[in-house]
Amino acid sequence: MRAIITGIGHYVPDNILTNQELEKMVDTNDEWIVSRTGIKERRILGKDKGTSYMAVKAAEMVLEQTNTAADELDLILVATSTPDMLIPATAAFVQKKLNATNCWGFDINAACCGFVYALATASQFIETGKHNKIMVIGVDKMSAIINYKDRNTCIIFGDGGGAALLESSNEDELGVEDYIFRLDGSGANLLNVQAGGSLFPASHETVDKKMHYIFQDGKKIFKYAVTAMSDVSIKIMEKNRLTGKDIKLLIPHQANLRIIDAVAKKMGLTRDKVMINIEKYGNTTAGTIPIAMSEAYQKNMMSKGDWIIISSFGAGFTSGSLLLKWALD
Ligand code: COA
């Protein structure tokens, strides 16, 4: 049995935060942000809604697109680093809102690799014949953990997410073909949110020290990202005896345009073979890849039988690439 994507959708909030608006909030400027990152604006969900709100919107789009009833779902996987609450899993809120009455579900925290890890996890349940329909969601409300006085982070991240329906198929050639994943815990101190977990539970002290906000060492992450993402992306091509010429589209994690360009170059891909939308949304963490995939689908950038590579890196450090043969017309 093969695991194929039969529907893909996304949701981003309406509210736009532009570089010009950020200029009024921190010591930065549009030229610096665009030249260093490629980002022009990002979306912000607002205080009264959590991550599950966006997850549900994206999943509803996919259910409608594929003419699927929520109670047909066997499993809901939500990849997120910004759950609505620490307990229960965001998947529980999504299950309730969708009224998906015949499924189980859980969250996956692999930061920016969340969606690609979740897709691979879901593919196992399909390939073994255990399940037929799995909703795989990648979504983050990064604005909930951003210090809008920290120019190192507030210019980069945004809110949004996407969802894919993974189904079983008898067509041998289509769907998830292979993946290569890595986890390198030596990077844990370079990109993190320290407080709010069991090591540093919320306290006046953690709030005073701003430990609930995301911290990053941008320079070190940049170098690691280019190396790690290129490595897994090139390896998956070599392992499957493919070259840049065989790949129709790279859907990379949208963290920084310079990282994307460097990875694509090392893979032997020209810009027209790379899905890029970072200028509109910034880095939505687990959301970037399904949002990009959904927009690529809307723009008819993929046809049935095309080789697609998804690749990502994130906090952990996590990194990974997934090769699939596109199954939709
Ligand atoms: N606006 C203006 N200036 C800024 C700035 C901002 N938002 N942020 C930093 N600067 C300043 C720095 O203070 C530094 O000034 P100095 O030379 O006087 O010390 C200068 O700009 C250069 O900073 P530097 O950190 O060297 O810039 P950079 O070219 O490495 O770009 C990032 C910074 C964060 C854009 C880049 O390192 C990056 O994208 N890293 C990866 C981050 C990432 O992807 N995180 C998510 C992982 S999933």
Side-chain angles (χ1 to χ4, degrees):
M1 204 62 80
R2 302 278 296 191
I4 62 167
I5 291 176
T6 55
I8 176 81
H10 72 280
Y11 174 83
V12 290
D14 293 335
N15 184 24
I16 296 173
L17 177 63
T18 63
N19 289 352
Q20 287 73 19
E21 284 168 287
L22 280 170
E23 285 177 6
K24 295 176 200 148
M25 297 158 71
V26 288
D27 180 14
T28 191
N29 59 77
D30 177 56
E31 195 280 326
W32 193 97
I33 301 172
V34 173
S35 63
R36 294 294 217 289
T37 69
I39 302 165
K40 291 181 180 159
E41 55 190 45
R42 62 292 290 146
R43 303 298 176 103
I44 305 295
L45 184 62
K47 283 206 171 85
D48 58 329
K49 295 185 180 78
T51 291
S52 69
Y53 177 84
M54 298 185 287
V56 168
K57 290 273 187 198
E60 281 173 345
M61 180 173 165
V62 172
L63 291 176
E64 198 182 317
Q65 187 186 94
T66 56
N67 211 6
T68 304
D71 62 6
E72 292 177 61
L73 296 176
D74 299 306
L75 172 61
I76 296 173
L77 293 187
V78 179
T80 188
S81 303
T82 50
D84 282 19
M85 299 178 186
L86 278 181
I87 299 172
T90 302
F93 296 107
V94 176
Q95 178 278 329
K96 177 142 193 306
K97 265 278 169 56
L98 292 179
N99 198 24
T101 47
N102 290 312
C103 73
W104 62 300
F106 56 95
D107 290 2
I108 289 182
N109 178 347
C112 301
C113 283
F115 181 77
V116 70
Y117 280 21
L119 204 55
T121 305
S123 74
Q124 302 305 299
F125 288 103
I126 302 271
E127 286 169 14
T128 54
K130 186 78 185 161
H131 291 322
N132 288 317
K133 290 181 195 287
I134 303 179
M135 188 64 77
V136 184
I137 302 170
V139 59
D140 270 297
K141 182 185 174 183
M142 295 306 288
S143 63
I145 53 170
I146 295 289
N147 177 358
Y148 284 95
K149 290 187 174 136
D150 176 8
R151 68 178 183 174
N152 291 306
T153 51
C154 73
I155 58 146
I156 287 175
F157 295 98
D159 302 340
L165 184 64
L166 208 64
E167 293 193 67
S168 53
S169 165
N170 291 321
E171 283 194 76
D172 262 1
E173 303 276 293
L174 298 178
V176 177
E177 179 71 23
D178 198 7
Y179 49 83
I180 298 174
F181 293 155
R182 305 241 161 85
L183 179 62
D184 174 6
S186 65
N189 60 335
L190 298 175
L191 181 54
N192 58 34
V193 178
Q194 289 187 7
S198 57
L199 186 58
F200 300 108
S203 68
H204 287 295
E205 195 190 349
T206 61
V207 173
D208 289 344
K209 288 185 173 168
K210 301 185 171 36
M211 290 165 70
H212 301 267
Y213 292 129
I214 195 163
F215 161 82
Q216 70 168 10
D217 183 331
K219 250 191 184 2
K220 288 193 180 138
I221 296 165
F222 190 97
K223 280 188 199 146
Y224 188 93
V226 173
T227 309
M229 230 167 121
S230 307
D231 187 47
V232 288
S233 307
I234 290 166
K235 283 223 164 70
I236 205 155
M237 288 201 297
E238 286 173 355
K239 195 174 157 214
N240 290 278
R241 291 182 291 281
L242 300 169
T243 68
K245 287 199 183 95
D246 303 306
I247 306 304
K248 179 66 184 290
L249 195 66
L250 169 70
I251 305 178
H253 172 47
Q254 315 277 316
N256 183 308
L257 188 55
R258 291 184 296 142
I259 296 174
I260 296 172
D261 280 341
V263 171
K265 197 170 164 207
K266 288 188 184 205
M267 291 172 73
L269 299 176
T270 46
R271 257 281 180 95
D272 58 311
K273 289 190 167 195
V274 187
M275 177 59 200
I276 296 169
N277 61 4
I278 190 170
E279 70 283 358
K280 293 190 290 183
Y281 308 128
N283 182 348
T284 56
T285 302
T288 67
I289 288 178
I291 295 171
M293 187 184 280
S294 175
E295 291 198 339
Y297 177 57
Q298 287 175 343
K299 290 180 181 166
N300 291 316
M301 291 170 77
M302 304 167 286
S303 305
K304 191 171 179 178
D306 285 341
W307 282 119
I308 309 294
I309 291 182
I310 301 168
S311 63
S312 190
F313 77 95
F317 289 123
T318 53
S319 55
S321 61
L322 185 144
L323 175 71
L324 63 92
K325 212 165 222 190
W326 194 246
L328 289 163
D329 287 321

